[in-house]
Amino acid sequence: MEKIVYDNHFNGNEWFVIGVIVLGFAVVWLLPRRYSPAQTIFNLLIGITFGHIADHSIGLPPFDFYDVGDQSAYQLFDFFTYLMYSPFGYLFIYGYERLRMSELMTVVYILLWTAVSVGFEWLASKAGVFHYKHGYHTGYSFPVYLFLISIQLILYRMAFARNRWQRNRREEVKKTY
């Protein structure tokens, strides 16, 4: 496979990544603390994890729908792009917990965050962070984000549901008597 070079300077795409990371983590830092350390780490790492999974599922052969950064081969700076996703995972759950919405509104909330994610990807592509190939475009990312955001919420609910911890604590208390 031939290596494609889109750019070989530190310029707009790298500054976009740095700007999103700094702005995203600043927002997370400035928000009131609502989570335990485990919840905070989960919410921050799931964005990185899902970004990594998606990039290595559809961004590499056999699909190879897009390249990240300045070249088709991964460079050290390309790994910083995964940090961009971290605040999004945190902010998604933060808003979900803060709004305490019904199940129907949860669906609307997921769709809204999916649209925000596609919009963010579009901006990143305009900044030169993503380079699409083989006819791929941001619209194709909608079902990917829809799936990943839904899975994130399911995993969060499974891991941190209030009644789960209360139920387990009651069972532990019963065992001691």
Side-chain angles (χ1 to χ4, degrees):
M1 184 170 132
E2 185 178 330
K3 181 167 97 171
I4 302 169
V5 177
Y6 300 102
D7 190 5
N8 54 12
H9 301 301
F10 190 93
N11 54 18
N13 63 343
E14 288 88 2
W15 283 115
F16 181 87
V17 170
I18 292 169
V20 169
I21 292 169
V22 169
L23 183 64
F25 279 102
V27 169
V28 167
W29 180 260
L30 293 172
L31 287 172
R33 303 290 175 259
R34 295 183 57 91
Y35 303 113
S36 69
Q39 286 173 301
T40 300
I41 291 169
F42 175 88
N43 291 332
L44 290 171
L45 288 181
I46 200 159
I48 295 171
T49 302
F50 282 172
H52 196 76
I53 289 169
D55 279 354
H56 287 274
S57 296
I58 62 175
L60 295 174
F63 300 111
D64 200 22
F65 288 134
Y66 59 89
D67 292 326
V68 177
D70 292 341
Q71 299 180 10
S72 59
Y74 272 96
Q75 297 178 301
L76 178 61
F77 195 85
D78 295 344
F79 290 102
F80 288 104
T81 60
Y82 300 126
L83 288 176
M84 291 190 314
Y85 297 111
S86 186
F88 282 91
Y90 183 91
L91 294 172
F92 169 70
I93 295 297
Y94 188 91
Y96 170 76
E97 287 284 336
R98 185 91 171 129
L99 295 173
R100 298 181 187 266
M101 58 198 92
S102 67
E103 294 300 318
L104 179 61
M105 286 308 296
T106 298
V107 172
V108 172
Y109 185 71
I110 289 170
L111 290 171
L112 175 70
W113 270 91
T114 301
V116 167
S117 300
V118 170
F120 173 75
E121 182 182 320
W122 178 81
L123 279 176
S125 71
K126 293 300 179 193
V129 176
F130 301 111
H131 305 277
Y132 301 123
K133 303 186 292 189
H134 312 297
Y136 192 84
H137 59 80
T138 54
Y140 293 145
S141 295
F142 190 89
V144 174
Y145 287 119
L146 183 62
F147 175 75
L148 292 176
I149 289 170
S150 299
I151 294 297
Q152 176 184 355
L153 185 56
I154 290 167
L155 291 174
Y156 177 78
R157 284 173 142 182
M158 287 172 48
F160 300 107
R162 283 180 179 78
N163 64 352
R164 174 178 178 250
W165 297 111
Q166 292 168 354
R167 184 176 58 243
N168 288 345
R169 180 70 182 134
R170 281 192 297 261
E171 290 171 5
E172 287 176 16
V173 170
K174 286 180 185 177
K175 289 178 185 177
T176 59
Y177 291 108

